[in-house]
Amino acid sequence: MTTTAVPESIDDSPAPVTADEERRRHQRREAWRRRLPLLPALLFTIVVTQVPFLFSLWYSLTEWTIVPPSDREFIGFGNYTDLATNEFFRSALWTSVLMTVVSVLLSVVLGTALAVLLDRKFFGQGFVRTLLITPFLVMPVVAGLVWNNQILGSAFGVLNWLLETLGFGSVEFVSRFPLWSIVTVLVWQWTPFMMLIMLAGLQSQPDSVLEAARVDGASTSGIFFQITLPHLRPYLELGVLLGSIYLIQVFDHIDVMTGGGPDSTNVPYFVFQRSIGGGWRFGQASAYSIVVVVFSIIIATFGLRVLSGLLEGEDAA
Amino acid sequence: MAQVRYDEATRIYPGTDIAAVDRLDLDIADGEFLVVVGPSGSGKSTALRMLAGLEFIDNGSIHIGERDVTLVPPKERDIAMVFQNYALYPQMSVAANMGFALKQQGIPKEERQRRVAEAARILDLEPYLERKPKNLSGGQRQRVAMGRAIVREPQVFLMDEPLSNLDAKLRVQTRTQLADLQADLGVTTVYVTHDQVEAMTLGDRVAVLESGKLQQCASPREMYSRPANRFVAGFIGSPAMNLLEVDGGDGSGVALGSMTVPLDGEVGRSVGAHPSVTLGVRPEHLALVPSDGDRTLPGRVSVVEDLGSEAFVHIDVEHRGETTQIVVRGEGESDVRRDDNVAIGLGGPIHLFGPGGERLN
Ligand SMILES: Nc1ncnc2c1ncn2[C@@H]1O[C@H](COP(=O)(O)OP(=O)(O)OP(=O)(O)O)[C@@H](O)[C@H]1O
Ligand SMILES: [Mg+2]
């Protein structure tokens, strides 16, 4: 908006403030005119997310069990201080961290490798790309079920059939390695997502820069590590952050594969177990979920900062 | 340093059936500055990229020095290339950009720094060594790209329209610096441009390409005074040479409108062999003169482009029953006006081309 100097009124119009005041009013009207169409959506969002959040916040400060029914009793930060000493919570927290970090890192590395392979022209490229993307399109529950029964399971699992055919004994993967079984499925699902982000990164790299590096005498791996990887850095950061935000909340896979057995209960699943999953301790469960929300917000803030950095970089290039 | 030889080198891009570069034969001497010029899409970049090893050579061969490099990958050719968009490494500082090639060769850090500092001094880049390319102006980026090439001390410099992203004034200035630099370093240089002024001022020799075929390779002066064919005649020179279809007649002379241009013996015989030939005259070899029978051509002025030091006068004349335009160079600050009736006289050499475009005289 241009702010032109308002010439001082020389005539005897009622009040000299009007020009300034008028402009401010106009701006306010303009601002509301833009905001108004957004209001219904905003109200809806507030009602379905922020109001429940406030309730959770309140519940987390109370001692409240539904079965057997008891009165809600305000206990301040008692639930939070208990967290530090609760062994089950600590173990769930550790599982969350391990599951998220390992899955994200593995899927980023695999996704980058696949993106590099896909970034060159070959016959059937589009077909292969579509095939590689499909795992990302499968619903989490379905992915968990398919892997649990058809691949890892001992009764119908392909992997066990293969092992037995080759003369090894069958292995109950999911019950023997619950965490790693779930990580495997998560990596399978999230590698395509990372691959797409990295592919976008690779394709935004001008050919001439790579050609210049070739003429300058760099080897293929030299070009990758000295030129391409630094170029991909913001994309890698973005992938890691988006992946972390999603994977810290994994629930479906755990529910259908292990049902939260030892080693595979992460914080969200733990919250579920404590509340509607049978524990009915809503006060405690609320405190856990608040902790998860705070973590997620921290990660998301970083993520958004990276994203805007990425967009600025594109502008300047 | 080395000479470069293209030997029937051909490039046919996959999925096309015409060659982008068609049996190119070029011999470039050690230390020579060769400019490749041609219209857009004529295959200049392709020819350069073939020498760089960035394009596969479908046929023929390319030699650098004594070595056949037809199948040698770019990094083993010992060449340095300046790209049109500079292709600087965006994540690296200016110093790292310039030292990159040396680092790949495993040259120790002190020597690298010494050579980068030296190149930065030559190119006035010293204050910018720690900056990233995106924080430089277009002209500074161009110099970084040059710097990246000269620290290499390569056998051959390849440059693909390195000045085309600069504004007109900077382009003239950089052009002079470039000529100086190349003369000092004495490195064989192949320089691609579509700007014929660059070609004429920079090159020891100029090669004109059209549709992937070499039209002529000669010194700028010879290219200008004796174009090998009709295409080169029309392409080199600004404003362009006047080219007119004339009747071959009996070979004693050709008629340009009501003016007769006499021909001598040998030329006349080769002209007389064709029913129709092309007559070419440069604007500066025509003049506005007092009318003088069939030795001058009458016409009417349509546009006067007065540049101060000289003026180009566009004149409508009657030729073979049609009105065509001829450009004549006159003196600056001329008093010729639109719609004046004038007479054109011949004051210099003419060029004659046969029906296939080949030179006849
Ligand atoms: N990768 C490619 N695949 C197919 N055809 C190509 C490819 N690159 C260039 N060509 C074609 O080859 C011909 C020569 O292209 P080239 O880039 O060498 O032209 P140029 O002389 O450098 O033109 P300009 O002055 O516009 O840069 C053109 O007709 C172009 O369409
Ligand atoms: Mg080109």
Side-chain angles (χ1 to χ4, degrees), chain A residues 92-158:
Chain A
L93 197 61
W94 174 237
T95 306
S96 263
V97 170
L98 204 60
M99 194 181 280
T100 310
V101 169
V102 174
S103 311
V104 167
L105 289 187
L106 278 180
S107 53
V108 164
V109 171
L110 283 175
T112 309
L114 287 175
V116 169
L117 291 179
L118 264 188
D119 190 35
R120 50 188 78 188
K121 285 235 173 310
F122 58 88
F123 179 74
Q125 188 182 25
F127 181 68
V128 173
R129 188 171 48 210
T130 312
L131 276 190
L132 284 175
I133 294 169
T134 21
F136 190 55
L137 307 176
V138 175
M139 276 179 290
V141 173
V142 176
L145 284 174
V146 166
W147 273 83
N148 202 20
N149 298 324
Q150 265 112 308
I151 300 180
L152 300 175
S154 57
F156 306 108
V158 174

Coordinates of all heavy atoms in Angstrom, one line a residue, chain A residues 92-158:
Chain A
A92 N 8.5 -46.0 27.1 CA 7.8 -45.6 25.9 C 8.4 -44.4 25.2 O 8.5 -44.4 24.0 CB 6.3 -45.2 26.3
L93 N 9.0 -43.5 26.0 CA 9.7 -42.3 25.4 C 10.9 -42.8 24.6 O 11.1 -42.4 23.5 CB 10.1 -41.4 26.5 CG 10.5 -40.0 26.1 CD1 9.3 -39.3 25.5 CD2 11.0 -39.2 27.4
W94 N 11.6 -43.7 25.2 CA 12.8 -44.3 24.6 C 12.4 -45.0 23.3 O 13.1 -44.8 22.2 CB 13.6 -45.2 25.5 CG 14.7 -45.9 24.9 CD1 14.9 -47.3 24.8 CD2 15.9 -45.3 24.2 NE1 16.1 -47.5 24.1 CE2 16.7 -46.3 23.8 CE3 16.2 -44.0 24.0 CZ2 17.9 -46.1 23.1 CZ3 17.4 -43.7 23.3 CH2 18.2 -44.8 22.9
T95 N 11.4 -45.8 23.3 CA 10.9 -46.4 22.1 C 10.5 -45.4 21.0 O 10.9 -45.6 19.9 CB 9.7 -47.3 22.4 OG1 10.0 -48.2 23.5 CG2 9.2 -48.1 21.2
S96 N 9.8 -44.4 21.4 CA 9.4 -43.3 20.5 C 10.7 -42.7 19.8 O 10.7 -42.6 18.6 CB 8.7 -42.2 21.2 OG 7.3 -42.3 21.1
V97 N 11.7 -42.4 20.6 CA 12.9 -41.8 20.0 C 13.5 -42.7 19.1 O 13.9 -42.4 17.9 CB 13.8 -41.3 21.2 CG1 15.2 -40.9 20.6 CG2 13.2 -40.2 22.0
L98 N 13.7 -43.9 19.5 CA 14.5 -44.9 18.7 C 13.7 -45.2 17.4 O 14.3 -45.1 16.3 CB 14.6 -46.2 19.5 CG 15.7 -47.2 19.1 CD1 17.0 -46.4 19.3 CD2 15.7 -48.4 20.0
M99 N 12.4 -45.4 17.6 CA 11.6 -45.7 16.4 C 11.6 -44.6 15.4 O 11.8 -44.8 14.2 CB 10.2 -46.0 16.8 CG 9.3 -46.6 15.8 SD 7.6 -46.8 16.5 CE 7.8 -48.3 17.5
T100 N 11.5 -43.4 15.9 CA 11.4 -42.2 15.0 C 12.8 -42.0 14.3 O 12.9 -41.9 13.1 CB 11.0 -40.9 15.8 OG1 9.9 -41.2 16.5 CG2 10.8 -39.8 14.8
V101 N 13.8 -41.9 15.1 CA 15.1 -41.6 14.6 C 15.6 -42.7 13.6 O 16.0 -42.3 12.4 CB 16.2 -41.5 15.7 CG1 17.6 -41.4 15.2 CG2 15.9 -40.3 16.6
V102 N 15.5 -43.9 13.9 CA 16.0 -45.0 13.0 C 15.1 -45.0 11.7 O 15.7 -45.0 10.6 CB 15.9 -46.4 13.7 CG1 16.3 -47.5 12.7 CG2 16.9 -46.4 14.9
S103 N 13.8 -44.9 11.9 CA 13.0 -45.0 10.7 C 13.3 -43.8 9.8 O 13.4 -43.9 8.5 CB 11.5 -44.9 11.0 OG 11.2 -45.9 12.0
V104 N 13.4 -42.6 10.4 CA 13.6 -41.4 9.5 C 14.9 -41.5 8.8 O 15.0 -41.3 7.6 CB 13.5 -40.1 10.4 CG1 14.0 -38.9 9.6 CG2 12.1 -39.9 10.8
L105 N 16.0 -41.8 9.6 CA 17.3 -41.9 9.0 C 17.4 -42.9 7.9 O 17.8 -42.6 6.8 CB 18.4 -42.1 10.0 CG 18.6 -40.9 11.0 CD1 19.8 -41.2 11.9 CD2 18.8 -39.6 10.2
L106 N 16.9 -44.1 8.2 CA 16.9 -45.2 7.1 C 16.1 -44.8 5.9 O 16.6 -44.9 4.8 CB 16.4 -46.5 7.7 CG 17.4 -47.3 8.5 CD1 16.7 -48.6 9.0 CD2 18.6 -47.6 7.7
S107 N 14.9 -44.2 6.1 CA 14.1 -43.9 4.9 C 14.7 -42.7 4.1 O 14.7 -42.7 2.9 CB 12.7 -43.6 5.3 OG 12.6 -42.6 6.3
V108 N 15.4 -41.8 4.8 CA 16.1 -40.7 4.1 C 17.2 -41.2 3.3 O 17.4 -40.9 2.1 CB 16.6 -39.6 5.1 CG1 17.6 -38.7 4.4 CG2 15.4 -38.8 5.6
V109 N 18.0 -42.1 3.9 CA 19.2 -42.7 3.1 C 18.7 -43.5 1.9 O 19.1 -43.3 0.8 CB 20.1 -43.5 4.0 CG1 21.1 -44.3 3.2 CG2 20.7 -42.6 5.1
L110 N 17.7 -44.4 2.2 CA 17.2 -45.2 1.1 C 16.5 -44.3 0.0 O 16.7 -44.5 -1.2 CB 16.2 -46.2 1.6 CG 16.8 -47.4 2.3 CD1 15.8 -48.3 2.9 CD2 17.7 -48.2 1.3
G111 N 15.7 -43.3 0.5 CA 15.0 -42.5 -0.4 C 16.0 -41.7 -1.3 O 15.7 -41.6 -2.5
T112 N 17.1 -41.2 -0.7 CA 18.0 -40.5 -1.5 C 18.7 -41.4 -2.6 O 18.8 -41.0 -3.7 CB 19.1 -39.9 -0.6 OG1 18.5 -39.2 0.5 CG2 20.0 -38.9 -1.4
A113 N 19.0 -42.6 -2.1 CA 19.7 -43.5 -3.1 C 18.7 -43.8 -4.2 O 19.1 -43.7 -5.4 CB 20.0 -44.8 -2.4
L114 N 17.5 -44.1 -3.9 CA 16.5 -44.4 -5.0 C 16.3 -43.1 -5.9 O 16.2 -43.3 -7.1 CB 15.1 -44.8 -4.4 CG 15.1 -46.2 -3.8 CD1 13.8 -46.4 -3.2 CD2 15.4 -47.2 -4.9
A115 N 16.3 -42.0 -5.3 CA 16.1 -40.7 -6.1 C 17.2 -40.6 -7.1 O 17.0 -40.2 -8.2 CB 16.0 -39.5 -5.2
V116 N 18.4 -40.8 -6.6 CA 19.6 -40.7 -7.5 C 19.5 -41.7 -8.7 O 19.7 -41.3 -9.8 CB 20.9 -40.9 -6.7 CG1 22.1 -41.1 -7.7 CG2 21.2 -39.8 -5.7
L117 N 19.0 -42.9 -8.4 CA 18.9 -43.9 -9.5 C 17.8 -43.4 -10.4 O 17.9 -43.6 -11.6 CB 18.5 -45.2 -8.9 CG 19.6 -45.9 -8.1 CD1 19.2 -47.2 -7.6 CD2 20.9 -46.1 -9.0
L118 N 16.7 -42.9 -9.9 CA 15.5 -42.5 -10.7 C 15.8 -41.2 -11.5 O 15.1 -40.9 -12.5 CB 14.3 -42.2 -9.8 CG 13.3 -43.4 -9.7 CD1 12.1 -42.9 -8.9 CD2 12.9 -43.9 -11.0
D119 N 16.8 -40.5 -11.1 CA 17.0 -39.2 -11.7 C 17.7 -39.2 -13.1 O 18.0 -38.3 -13.7 CB 17.9 -38.3 -10.8 CG 17.9 -36.8 -11.2 OD1 16.9 -36.4 -11.8 OD2 19.0 -36.2 -11.1
R120 N 17.9 -40.5 -13.5 CA 18.5 -40.6 -14.9 C 17.5 -41.2 -15.8 O 16.6 -41.9 -15.4 CB 19.8 -41.4 -14.8 CG 19.6 -42.7 -14.1 CD 20.9 -43.4 -13.9 NE 21.7 -42.8 -12.8 CZ 22.9 -43.1 -12.5 NH1 23.6 -44.0 -13.2 NH2 23.5 -42.5 -11.5
K121 N 17.7 -40.9 -17.1 CA 16.7 -41.4 -18.0 C 16.9 -42.8 -18.3 O 18.0 -43.3 -18.6 CB 16.8 -40.6 -19.3 CG 16.3 -39.2 -19.3 CD 15.3 -39.0 -20.4 CE 14.5 -37.7 -20.3 NZ 14.0 -37.4 -19.0
F122 N 15.8 -43.6 -18.3 CA 15.9 -45.0 -18.7 C 14.6 -45.5 -19.2 O 13.5 -44.8 -18.8 CB 16.5 -46.0 -17.7 CG 15.7 -46.0 -16.4 CD1 14.6 -46.8 -16.2 CD2 16.1 -45.1 -15.3 CE1 13.9 -46.9 -15.0 CE2 15.3 -45.2 -14.2 CZ 14.3 -46.0 -14.0
F123 N 14.5 -46.6 -19.9 CA 13.2 -47.0 -20.4 C 12.4 -47.5 -19.3 O 12.8 -48.3 -18.4 CB 13.5 -48.2 -21.4 CG 12.2 -48.7 -22.0 CD1 11.5 -48.0 -22.9 CD2 11.7 -50.0 -21.6 CE1 10.3 -48.5 -23.5 CE2 10.6 -50.5 -22.1 CZ 9.9 -49.8 -23.0
G124 N 11.1 -47.1 -19.2 CA 10.2 -47.6 -18.2 C 10.3 -46.8 -16.9 O 9.9 -47.2 -15.8
Q125 N 10.9 -45.6 -17.0 CA 11.2 -44.7 -15.8 C 9.9 -44.4 -15.1 O 9.8 -44.6 -13.9 CB 11.9 -43.5 -16.3 CG 12.4 -42.6 -15.2 CD 13.0 -41.3 -15.8 OE1 12.7 -40.9 -16.9 NE2 13.9 -40.7 -15.1
G126 N 8.9 -44.0 -15.8 CA 7.6 -43.6 -15.2 C 7.0 -44.7 -14.5 O 6.5 -44.6 -13.3
F127 N 7.1 -45.9 -15.1 CA 6.5 -47.1 -14.5 C 7.2 -47.4 -13.2 O 6.5 -47.7 -12.1 CB 6.6 -48.2 -15.5 CG 6.0 -49.5 -15.0 CD1 4.6 -49.7 -14.8 CD2 6.8 -50.6 -14.7 CE1 4.1 -50.8 -14.4 CE2 6.3 -51.8 -14.2 CZ 4.9 -51.9 -14.1
V128 N 8.5 -47.4 -13.2 CA 9.3 -47.7 -12.0 C 9.0 -46.7 -10.9 O 8.8 -47.1 -9.7 CB 10.8 -47.8 -12.3 CG1 11.6 -47.9 -11.1 CG2 11.1 -48.9 -13.3
R129 N 8.9 -45.5 -11.3 CA 8.6 -44.4 -10.3 C 7.3 -44.7 -9.6 O 7.2 -44.6 -8.4 CB 8.7 -43.1 -10.9 CG 8.6 -41.9 -9.9 CD 8.9 -40.6 -10.6 NE 8.1 -40.4 -11.8 CZ 8.5 -39.7 -12.8 NH1 9.6 -39.1 -12.8 NH2 7.7 -39.6 -13.9
T130 N 6.3 -45.0 -10.4 CA 5.0 -45.2 -9.8 C 5.0 -46.4 -8.9 O 4.5 -46.3 -7.8 CB 3.9 -45.5 -11.0 OG1 4.1 -44.5 -12.0 CG2 2.5 -45.5 -10.4
L131 N 5.7 -47.5 -9.3 CA 5.8 -48.6 -8.4 C 6.5 -48.2 -7.1 O 6.0 -48.7 -6.0 CB 6.7 -49.7 -9.1 CG 5.9 -50.6 -10.1 CD1 6.9 -51.8 -10.4 CD2 4.7 -51.2 -9.5
L132 N 7.5 -47.4 -7.2 CA 8.2 -47.1 -6.0 C 7.4 -46.2 -5.0 O 7.6 -46.2 -3.8 CB 9.5 -46.4 -6.3 CG 10.6 -47.3 -6.9 CD1 11.8 -46.5 -7.3 CD2 11.1 -48.3 -5.8
I133 N 6.5 -45.5 -5.6 CA 5.7 -44.5 -4.8 C 4.6 -45.3 -4.0 O 4.2 -44.9 -3.0 CB 5.1 -43.4 -5.6 CG1 6.3 -42.5 -6.2 CG2 4.2 -42.5 -4.8 CD1 5.8 -41.5 -7.2
T134 N 4.1 -46.4 -4.6 CA 2.9 -47.0 -4.0 C 2.9 -47.3 -2.5 O 1.9 -47.0 -1.9 CB 2.6 -48.3 -4.8 OG1 3.7 -48.8 -5.4 CG2 1.4 -48.2 -5.7
P135 N 4.0 -47.7 -1.9 CA 4.0 -48.0 -0.5 C 3.4 -46.8 0.3 O 2.7 -46.9 1.3 CB 5.4 -48.3 -0.1 CG 6.0 -48.8 -1.3 CD 5.3 -48.1 -2.5
F136 N 3.8 -45.6 -0.2 CA 3.3 -44.4 0.5 C 1.8 -44.2 0.4 O 1.2 -43.5 1.3 CB 4.0 -43.1 -0.1 CG 3.9 -41.9 0.7 CD1 4.2 -41.9 2.1 CD2 3.4 -40.8 0.1 CE1 4.1 -40.7 2.8 CE2 3.2 -39.6 0.9 CZ 3.6 -39.6 2.2
L137 N 1.2 -44.8 -0.6 CA -0.2 -44.6 -0.8 C -1.1 -45.6 0.0 O -2.3 -45.5 0.1 CB -0.6 -44.7 -2.3 CG 0.2 -43.8 -3.2 CD1 -0.1 -44.1 -4.6 CD2 0.0 -42.4 -2.8
V138 N -0.4 -46.6 0.6 CA -1.1 -47.6 1.3 C -1.5 -47.1 2.7 O -0.7 -46.5 3.4 CB -0.2 -48.9 1.5 CG1 -0.9 -49.9 2.3 CG2 0.1 -49.5 0.1
M139 N -2.7 -47.4 3.1 CA -3.1 -46.9 4.5 C -2.2 -47.6 5.5 O -1.9 -48.8 5.4 CB -4.6 -47.4 4.7 CG -5.6 -46.4 4.2 SD -7.2 -47.0 4.6 CE -7.3 -48.4 3.5
P140 N -1.9 -46.9 6.6 CA -1.0 -47.4 7.6 C -1.5 -48.7 8.2 O -0.8 -49.7 8.3 CB -1.0 -46.3 8.7 CG -1.3 -45.1 7.9 CD -2.2 -45.4 6.8
V141 N -2.8 -48.8 8.5 CA -3.4 -50.1 9.1 C -3.2 -51.2 8.1 O -2.7 -52.3 8.5 CB -4.9 -49.9 9.4 CG1 -5.5 -51.2 9.8 CG2 -5.1 -48.8 10.4
V142 N -3.5 -51.0 6.8 CA -3.3 -52.0 5.8 C -1.9 -52.4 5.7 O -1.6 -53.6 5.6 CB -3.9 -51.5 4.5 CG1 -3.7 -52.6 3.4 CG2 -5.3 -51.2 4.6
A143 N -1.0 -51.5 5.7 CA 0.4 -51.8 5.6 C 0.8 -52.7 6.7 O 1.5 -53.7 6.5 CB 1.3 -50.5 5.6
G144 N 0.4 -52.3 7.9 CA 0.8 -53.1 9.1 C 0.2 -54.5 9.0 O 0.9 -55.5 9.2
L145 N -1.0 -54.6 8.6 CA -1.7 -56.0 8.4 C -1.0 -56.8 7.4 O -0.7 -58.0 7.6 CB -3.1 -55.8 8.1 CG -4.0 -55.4 9.3 CD1 -5.5 -55.1 8.8 CD2 -4.0 -56.5 10.4
V146 N -0.7 -56.2 6.2 CA -0.1 -57.0 5.1 C 1.3 -57.5 5.6 O 1.6 -58.7 5.4 CB 0.0 -56.1 3.9 CG1 1.0 -56.8 2.9 CG2 -1.3 -55.9 3.3
W147 N 2.1 -56.6 6.2 CA 3.4 -57.0 6.6 C 3.3 -58.1 7.7 O 4.0 -59.1 7.7 CB 4.2 -55.8 7.1 CG 5.0 -55.2 6.0 CD1 4.5 -54.2 5.2 CD2 6.3 -55.4 5.6 NE1 5.4 -53.9 4.3 CE2 6.6 -54.6 4.5 CE3 7.4 -56.2 6.1 CZ2 7.8 -54.5 3.9 CZ3 8.6 -56.2 5.4 CH2 8.8 -55.3 4.3
N148 N 2.4 -57.9 8.6 CA 2.3 -58.8 9.8 C 1.9 -60.2 9.3 O 2.5 -61.1 9.7 CB 1.2 -58.2 10.7 CG 1.3 -58.7 12.1 OD1 2.4 -59.2 12.4 ND2 0.3 -58.7 12.9
N149 N 0.9 -60.2 8.4 CA 0.4 -61.6 8.1 C 1.1 -62.1 6.8 O 1.5 -63.3 6.8 CB -1.1 -61.5 7.8 CG -1.9 -61.1 9.0 OD1 -1.5 -61.5 10.1 ND2 -2.9 -60.3 8.8
Q150 N 1.2 -61.3 5.8 CA 1.6 -61.9 4.5 C 3.1 -62.0 4.3 O 3.6 -62.7 3.5 CB 1.0 -61.2 3.3 CG -0.3 -61.8 2.9 CD -1.5 -61.0 3.2 OE1 -1.6 -60.6 4.3 NE2 -2.3 -60.7 2.2
I151 N 3.9 -61.2 5.1 CA 5.3 -61.2 4.9 C 6.1 -61.7 6.1 O 6.8 -62.7 5.9 CB 5.8 -59.7 4.5 CG1 5.1 -59.3 3.3 CG2 7.3 -59.7 4.3 CD1 5.5 -57.9 2.8
L152 N 5.8 -61.1 7.3 CA 6.6 -61.5 8.4 C 6.0 -62.7 9.2 O 6.7 -63.4 9.9 CB 6.8 -60.4 9.4 CG 7.4 -59.1 8.8 CD1 7.4 -58.0 9.8 CD2 8.9 -59.4 8.4
G153 N 4.7 -62.9 9.1 CA 4.0 -63.9 9.9 C 4.5 -65.3 9.7 O 5.1 -65.6 8.6
S154 N 4.3 -66.2 10.7 CA 4.9 -67.5 10.5 C 3.9 -68.5 9.8 O 4.3 -69.5 9.2 CB 5.2 -68.1 11.9 OG 4.1 -68.1 12.7
A155 N 2.6 -68.1 9.8 CA 1.6 -69.0 9.2 C 1.6 -68.8 7.7 O 1.7 -69.7 6.9 CB 0.2 -68.8 9.8
F156 N 1.4 -67.5 7.3 CA 1.2 -67.2 5.8 C 2.4 -66.3 5.3 O 2.3 -65.9 4.1 CB -0.1 -66.5 5.6 CG -1.3 -67.2 6.2 CD1 -1.9 -66.7 7.3 CD2 -1.7 -68.4 5.6 CE1 -3.0 -67.4 7.8 CE2 -2.8 -69.0 6.1 CZ -3.4 -68.5 7.3
G157 N 3.3 -66.0 6.1 CA 4.4 -65.1 5.7 C 5.3 -65.6 4.6 O 5.8 -66.7 4.6
V158 N 5.5 -64.7 3.6 CA 6.4 -65.0 2.4 C 7.8 -65.2 2.9 O 8.5 -66.2 2.5 CB 6.3 -63.9 1.4 CG1 7.4 -64.2 0.3 CG2 5.0 -63.8 0.8

